[in-house]
Amino acid sequence: MLLLKQKVINEGIVLGQGVLKVDSFLNHQMDPVLMREVGREFSRRFAGEGITKVLTIESSGIAPGIMTALELNVPLIFARKQKSLTLTEDIYVEKVYSFTKKESNEITVSKKFIAPGERVLIVDDFLANGEAAFGLARIVEQAGASVVGIGIVIEKSFQPGNRLLQEAGYRLESLVRIASLEDGVISFVEADGEVLPE
């Protein structure tokens, strides 16, 4: 996805220790045109899969998730990280560890929003170790529903998430794959596996 790749090149900031800051267009300030294109691309890649729901995690997954759901004409569900006074029972709960924030969170989804037999697409902003994606997948499976696939906006391919999710049998589609952030330089994995510097 050229538009997204250009945004990463022009606005991404390498903070070191495997952290890429993209808060100017993805997870603090958001570029709505880019998010629309992200939604269209996920919709194209997962066309014909009979998706009934899109599932993401608050808060950075909501923008790409809602645009994907809009393109697929299905509801978006987001797993909550914060406790809600109105969401206390009949919920699915999973624990996930955030690589960026270095903390564990319990994520929750109301049982009324995922029915057995549904076909769910998981969408998230980043993939590092796969913790969030696995947590969301476990919620879908607890509900007796199927994970159709996992759509990731930016994958850090130098971390094990991609390998772990594929080994577990999940279909993974990442729009941009980062090969390395070493020495402050963003290198990309191209479709054929070749690594190209910024």
Side-chain angles (χ1 to χ4, degrees), residues 65-150:
I66 193 70
M67 298 312 274
T68 303
L70 179 66
E71 290 295 322
L72 292 168
N73 196 29
V74 300
L76 170 74
I77 306 162
F78 68 86
R80 293 178 177 268
K81 292 181 191 172
Q82 309 299 324
K83 297 282 188 238
S84 169
L85 294 175
T86 62
L87 194 64
T88 57
E89 52 188 46
D90 292 328
I91 56 175
Y92 298 111
V93 180
E94 281 293 334
K95 188 168 278 197
V96 298
Y97 179 78
S98 168
F99 171 82
T100 307
K101 295 179 181 155
K102 306 286 189 228
E103 65 183 22
S104 290
N105 288 294
E106 281 193 342
I107 60 170
T108 58
V109 172
S110 174
K111 290 183 177 180
K112 70 182 178 183
F113 293 131
I114 306 178
E118 290 216 74
R119 296 179 58 77
V120 180
L121 173 63
I122 293 169
V123 171
D124 206 3
D125 63 335
F126 267 97
L127 174 63
N129 295 319
E131 291 280 333
F134 274 116
L136 292 169
R138 288 191 298 268
I139 285 175
V140 172
E141 289 154 5
Q142 280 184 59
S146 300
V147 176
V148 169
I150 299 169

Side-chain angles (χ1 to χ4, degrees), residues 5-12 198:
K5 187 174 176 181
Q6 285 301 320
K7 281 283 191 179
V8 172
I9 291 168
N10 295 333
E11 299 179 36
E198 171 186 311

Side-chain angles (χ1 to χ4, degrees), residues 126-197:
F126 267 97
L127 174 63
N129 295 319
E131 291 280 333
F134 274 116
L136 292 169
R138 288 191 298 268
I139 285 175
V140 172
E141 289 154 5
Q142 280 184 59
S146 300
V147 176
V148 169
I150 299 169
I152 299 295
V153 180
I154 299 174
E155 172 191 312
K156 293 189 278 186
S157 300
F158 55 89
Q159 291 178 281
N162 179 310
R163 177 181 55 80
L164 295 172
L165 288 166
Q166 294 208 46
E167 284 175 358
Y170 295 110
R171 177 183 170 192
L172 181 64
E173 293 283 346
S174 300
L175 302 187
V176 167
R177 299 180 67 208
I178 306 292
S180 170
L181 299 172
E182 284 186 33
D183 300 321
V185 177
I186 304 167
S187 299
F188 297 90
V189 178
E190 294 303 308
D192 61 3
E194 181 185 358
V195 176
L196 294 180

Side-chain angles (χ1 to χ4, degrees), residues 12-23:
I13 300 168
V14 179
L15 297 180
Q17 300 173 340
V19 178
L20 176 65
K21 186 175 181 181
V22 291
D23 64 348

